[in-house]
Amino acid sequence: MVMEHGMDKTGPARDDMMKKQLRGQLAAERSLRTDEEHELQPAGEDQPVPAWSPASDYRGGTPSGMTEQDVGLRSELAQHLGRSLYPADKNTIIETLRRNHAPDRLVELAQRLPAHDRYVNVQAIAEAIGLHTEHVRR
């Protein structure tokens, strides 16, 4: 067997063994990096204390002029309608809600919309179906 200058021929069995070792090392390094990236960091001194249960004192912000139910319904509508829909008419809104498996009560609310109006965002839809909306300062 003649060896070329600077080349070490190892054979298939040794190649396989070296590949397994390298895979193991790479997996161990990746696992180490992943564990470090996902470690929880303590909150800074300037961060708010998290509310751990719905019964806690912190309730979040309900905009002036709206109830928690109004905020929840508008939020649900937004989740099921997405952002790329607008401007949209009543039929498009109802079709989108159904396609996105929205609860029946949201579809029923959308069916109250005037037939020929177009809506530029979820806020306009909320106003048209009679939800209270926040008062915007101008």
Side-chain angles (χ1 to χ4, degrees):
M1 177 197 289
V2 177
M3 293 184 69
E4 295 180 28
H5 183 65
M7 302 273 302
D8 183 16
K9 296 188 178 188
T10 57
R14 180 145 167 80
D15 285 347
D16 288 342
M17 182 183 73
M18 291 174 70
K19 284 180 191 175
K20 286 180 184 175
Q21 286 176 340
L22 182 58
R23 279 191 202 119
Q25 289 172 346
L26 290 173
E29 288 175 14
R30 192 173 23 233
S31 174
L32 233 160
R33 278 194 312 262
T34 302
D35 291 344
E36 290 171 0
E37 290 171 3
H38 294 289
E39 284 183 19
L40 294 176
Q41 299 295 320
E45 292 176 6
D46 62 340
Q47 299 298 311
V49 177
W52 295 108
S53 76
S56 67
D57 292 337
Y58 178 74
R59 291 279 185 209
T62 301
S64 175
M66 295 182 76
T67 66
E68 288 183 24
Q69 291 78 18
D70 293 332
V71 173
L73 280 171
R74 186 178 66 178
S75 178
E76 269 191 284
L77 279 167
Q79 287 173 341
H80 290 285
L81 291 173
R83 294 183 179 187
S84 62
L85 176 72
Y86 306 103
D89 62 12
K90 175 182 179 175
N91 290 334
T92 304
I93 292 166
I94 292 170
E95 289 170 14
T96 303
L97 288 170
R98 286 184 175 144
R99 185 176 54 251
N100 292 334
H101 308 288
D104 291 339
R105 62 188 165 72
L106 293 182
V107 175
E108 290 168 9
L109 284 174
Q111 288 171 338
R112 291 191 213 165
L113 293 169
H116 301 291
D117 290 352
R118 292 185 65 75
Y119 303 93
V120 295
N121 57 27
V122 74
Q123 180 80 358
I125 295 169
E127 289 171 356
I129 61 175
L131 296 180
H132 294 103
T133 57
E134 68 262 39
H135 303 291
V136 180
R137 289 185 229 163
R138 293 181 190 228

